[in-house]
């Protein structure tokens, strides 16, 4: 079983739609969680941290479910500029950060 | 620009040559990570270093690959006797080592082995 798993997609959604991604992790001792965004051939950029209480940043909402060992990212009112690959990242302890393979999102006009 | 700096941006090597990839972390950061990414694939963890110490190299091949982060100067990822399968994008990231471990990435080095 992979340490961090994501559905690779692609998710093709129309502008204005709401889309959600999940990411599961295998190490129950994992300590912190993140979502990154990666545009084609570019470096990943931190989108947001994920907390047990959930956190929201504009159109983006992230949630953590420790019992079921998954994190989620919800994007509301999708924009064309949201098209990218979304990577979840898990700090497994000892500060080793493991990434999922990413979920590709394509927002269609 | 106080961001993570990687060079070269592109590196072409012939089979059997050596590749040296450099990474200068963000100002104030003392933790460096190296990741490899193949086309259409995710980031694969290679090695995690602090100044003068390798903390975790579990993702790095045992042969031909080495990494260092000296007291002075950038972190270096060194690949000896490169093969075509080493062709990939190599990303470096740095952090300040606090518990939440947010990573900031450099622009990457695209290694092409002919």
């Amino acid at each position: 079983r992979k340490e961090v798993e994501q559905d690779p997609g692609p998710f093709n959604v129309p502008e204005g739609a709401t889309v959600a991604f999940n990411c599961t992790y295998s190490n129950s001792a994992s300590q912190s969680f993140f979502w990154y965004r990666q545009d084609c051939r570019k470096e990943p950029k931190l989108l947001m941290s994920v907390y047990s209480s959930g956190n929201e940043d504009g159109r983006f909402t992230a949630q953590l479910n420790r019992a079921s060992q998954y994190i989620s990212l919800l994007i509301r009112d999708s924009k064309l500029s949201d098209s990218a690959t979304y990577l979840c990242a898990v700090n497994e302890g000892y500060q080793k950060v493991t990434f999922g393979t990413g979920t590709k999102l394509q927002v269609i006009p | 620009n106080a961001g993570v700096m990687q060079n070269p941006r592109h590196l072409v090597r012939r089979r059997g040559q050596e590749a040296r990839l450099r990474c200068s972390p963000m100002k104030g950061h003392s933790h460096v990570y190296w990741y490899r990414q193949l086309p259409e694939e995710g980031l694969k963890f290679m090695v995690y270093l602090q100044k003068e110490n390798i903390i975790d190299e579990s993702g790095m091949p045992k042969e031909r690959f080495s990494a260092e982060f000296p007291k002075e100067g950038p972190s270096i990822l060194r690949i000896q006797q490169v093969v075509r399968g080493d062709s990939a994008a190599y990303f470096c990231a740095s952090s300040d080592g606090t518990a939440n471990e947010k990573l900031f990435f450099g622009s990457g080095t695209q290694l092409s082995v002919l």
Side-chain angles (χ1 to χ4, degrees), chain A residues 34 36 38 43 49 95 97, chain B residues 33 35 37 48 97 100 103 106:
Chain A
F34 310 91
Y36 284 77
Q38 186 175 27
E43 73 273 20
S49 302
Q95 300 176 332
V97 180
Chain B
Y33 297 75
Y35 290 86
Q37 188 173 39
Y48 164 44
N100 63 15
L103 301 185

Side-chain angles (χ1 to χ4, degrees), chain B residues 69-84:
Chain B
F69 189 15
K71 186 177 180 181
E72 302 291 338
S75 175
I76 305 286
L77 179 67
R78 183 181 177 207
I79 311 173
Q80 294 178 289
Q81 299 174 341
V82 296
V83 301
R84 289 216 172 111

Side-chain angles (χ1 to χ4, degrees), chain A residues 32 34 36 38 41-44 46 49 87 91 94-101, chain B residues 31 33 35 37 42-43 45 48 56 58 91 97 99-103 105-107:
Chain A
S32 49
F34 310 91
Y36 284 77
Q38 186 175 27
R41 297 182 179 275
K42 299 277 186 69
E43 73 273 20
L46 180 66
S49 302
L87 304 165
N91 179 345
Y94 306 103
Q95 300 176 332
K96 175 184 173 181
V97 180
T98 299
F99 284 80
T101 52
Chain B
H31 295 230
Y33 297 75
Y35 290 86
Q37 188 173 39
L43 290 164
F45 170 81
Y48 164 44
D56 185 334
S58 59
F91 287 101
N100 63 15
E101 210 63 23
K102 292 178 183 177
L103 301 185
F105 283 83
S107 301

Side-chain angles (χ1 to χ4, degrees), chain A residues 41-100:
Chain A
R41 297 182 179 275
K42 299 277 186 69
E43 73 273 20
K45 293 186 177 175
L46 180 66
L47 185 63
M48 57 201 308
S49 302
V50 189
Y51 306 115
S52 295
S53 55
N55 53 311
E56 188 172 316
D57 183 2
R59 298 181 293 108
F60 297 82
T61 301
Q63 294 276 358
L64 165 64
N65 185 317
R66 282 194 184 273
S68 300
Q69 293 184 204
Y70 75 85
I71 63 173
S72 63
L73 178 68
L74 182 79
I75 305 175
R76 290 180 297 277
D77 189 22
S78 300
K79 312 289 185 192
L80 294 176
S81 58
D82 294 334
S83 298
T85 296
Y86 290 83
L87 304 165
C88 68
V90 175
N91 179 345
E92 298 187 73
Y94 306 103
Q95 300 176 332
K96 175 184 173 181
V97 180
T98 299
F99 284 80

Side-chain angles (χ1 to χ4, degrees), chain B residues 14-84:
Chain B
R14 296 191 181 280
R15 281 180 296 171
Q17 291 184 319
E18 178 181 287
R20 291 171 71 88
L21 287 62
R22 288 176 290 278
C23 170
S24 296
M26 188 176 284
K27 189 175 180 181
H29 286 186
S30 60
H31 295 230
V32 165
Y33 297 75
W34 285 95
Y35 290 86
R36 176 163 68 175
Q37 188 173 39
L38 293 169
E40 304 301 318
E41 294 190 13
L43 290 164
K44 183 177 181 297
F45 170 81
M46 297 183 73
V47 62
Y48 164 44
L49 310 102
Q50 294 177 25
K51 281 285 186 181
E52 300 185 276
N53 288 304
I54 295 175
I55 306 303
D56 185 334
E57 56 182 347
S58 59
M60 202 154 67
K62 295 285 186 282
E63 296 180 354
R64 303 189 298 109
F65 285 73
S66 61
E68 63 176 6
F69 189 15
K71 186 177 180 181
E72 302 291 338
S75 175
I76 305 286
L77 179 67
R78 183 181 177 207
I79 311 173
Q80 294 178 289
Q81 299 174 341
V82 296
V83 301
R84 289 216 172 111

